[in-house]
């Protein structure tokens, strides 16, 4: 990273280099806010009775909410959301968000970490591989963001 700007510089990166990690707390209120912003009002994301009635263990986070929360680690590291030119993943497990209304406890905690998976000198891009875990299990696999850097 350039010390002047604290943004990554392509020539200073190496495959395997850690870009950081974070814990993302999620509440049912976060899911309702996301539903409003995304237009995805599927009741599996806010209604316990409905979610369990269709065979889920409870209310689950939107897949795109989880994906967006995970890639935030990369955009923060890159210093510019526009530097992310591609992001792909596969969803493997739902993020169960318990009802903790009236407490200070989160309904779920998602752990995200990232490392440089590949470098393309010709394109000036780095592929960041993300590990995204909830309750000890990967919820996204092959979560990879391609970032164009100076």
């Amino acid at each position: 990273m350039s010390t002047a700007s604290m943004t990554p510089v392509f020539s200073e990166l190496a495959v395997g280099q850690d870009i950081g990690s974070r814990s993302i707390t999620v509440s049912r209120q976060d899911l309702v806010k996301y539903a409003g912003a995304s237009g995805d009002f599927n009741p599996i994301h806010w209604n316990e009775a409905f979610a369990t009635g269709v065979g889920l263990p409870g209310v689950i986070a939107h897949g795109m909410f989880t994906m967006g929360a995970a890639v935030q680690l990369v955009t923060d590291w890159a210093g510019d959301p526009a530097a992310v030119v591609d992001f792909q993943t596969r969803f493997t497990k739902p993020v169960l968000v318990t009802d903790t209304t009236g407490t200070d406890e989160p309904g779920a905690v998602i752990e995200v970490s990232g490392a440089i998976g590949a470098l393309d000198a010709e394109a000036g891009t780095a592929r960041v591989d993300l590990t995204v875990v909830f309750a000890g299990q990967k919820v996204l696999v092959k979560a990879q963001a391609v970032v164009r850097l100076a």
Side-chain angles (χ1 to χ4, degrees):
M1 283 199 177
S2 167
T3 55
S5 63
M6 293 306 289
T7 58
V9 176
F10 184 84
S11 62
E12 297 174 2
L13 299 178
V15 172
Q17 181 177 340
D18 180 29
I19 71 151
S21 63
R22 69 172 38 144
S23 296
I24 301 163
T25 60
V26 185
S27 70
R28 293 263 180 103
Q29 183 178 15
D30 294 328
L31 300 185
V32 170
K33 290 177 182 177
Y34 183 82
S38 70
D40 180 353
F41 295 102
N42 187 323
I44 64 172
H45 303 302
W46 55 270
N47 184 306
E48 185 84 24
F50 185 88
T52 56
V54 297
L56 293 169
V59 167
I60 62 171
H62 303 73
M64 296 304 283
F65 174 92
T66 304
M67 188 176 168
V71 79
Q72 185 70 45
L73 177 70
V74 180
T75 60
D76 289 351
W77 169 77
D80 178 9
V84 178
V85 296
D86 186 52
F87 181 48
Q88 300 179 31
T89 192
R90 287 194 351 232
F91 302 97
T92 57
K93 302 259 186 219
V95 174
L96 183 64
V97 182
T98 58
D99 186 2
T100 57
T101 304
T103 74
D104 291 334
E105 296 298 313
V109 179
I110 303 167
E111 302 293 340
V112 181
S113 60
I116 304 298
L119 295 168
D120 182 338
E122 188 174 314
T125 59
R127 188 190 78 218
V128 177
D129 297 340
L130 295 173
T131 301
V132 185
V133 176
F134 165 71
Q137 297 192 347
K138 288 185 180 180
V139 294
L140 302 179
V141 295
K142 295 194 178 205
Q144 301 175 331
V146 176
V147 182
R148 182 164 288 117
L149 301 167

